[in-house]
Amino acid sequence: MVAFEVVLRGYDRRAVDALVRAVEAAAGDRDRVAAAVRAAGPLPVVLRGYSPVQVDAWLAASRAAEPDPGSGSGSGPGPGPGPVWAAAVELPIVLRGYRPAETDALLTLVAGAIASGDAARRADALRAIGDTRLPVAFRGFDRAAVDAWLDRAARQLRAG
């Protein structure tokens, strides 16, 4: 069984455990995995549940680990650019932190620029890091963690 961190607001543990059992029972069959995810529907968020970032990353990885029928290589198609960066960014929720909606938008923009080889997108993302002032909310992402991630991203964007 997969172990997920329990956070203040996360996915319902029973629903996730049932989904994990169904996906593991699918044994890599794309259709059965997709059917299990559809049957689970949107996972309910509860006061103390599994970390949504970890659960979403696990789901993306379990889909990506399946063989690509068109490749003939037997190794899965690498994980796509969408959810992969989210697995690397584990941002804790704190009492006073950056508002999640604006933070997610900025992190998505920056991660997309890093993943692309486009110099213009990288320059736009670097400018966005410098120009954006993220609003603080009663419950939001830990400001120190977001700032540290953005600093690392800015260094990576400058390095090309």
Side-chain angles (χ1 to χ4, degrees), residues 32-159:
R32 289 179 58 200
V33 169
V37 171
R38 276 193 308 275
L43 294 169
V45 175
V46 295
L47 187 59
R48 291 195 40 83
Y50 290 139
S51 169
V53 171
Q54 291 176 349
V55 173
D56 292 341
W58 174 80
L59 274 173
S62 67
R63 289 178 183 151
E66 298 151 12
D68 185 7
S71 71
S73 67
S75 66
V84 171
W85 71 270
V89 181
E90 183 66 33
L91 298 173
I93 300 288
V94 295
L95 191 57
R96 299 227 2 113
Y98 290 134
R99 195 166 24 190
E102 289 84 352
T103 306
D104 284 340
L106 180 61
L107 294 181
T108 301
L109 174 86
V110 171
I114 289 171
S116 77
D118 186 14
R121 275 184 77 183
R122 294 171 86 82
D124 287 342
L126 196 53
R127 191 173 321 108
I129 290 172
D131 293 346
T132 303
R133 298 293 169 244
L134 294 168
V136 175
F138 181 65
R139 285 185 35 79
F141 291 125
D142 181 22
R143 292 182 278 182
V146 171
D147 291 341
W149 190 89
L150 288 172
D151 287 341
R152 286 191 308 272
R155 283 195 301 274
Q156 191 173 359
L157 288 168
R158 282 188 203 101

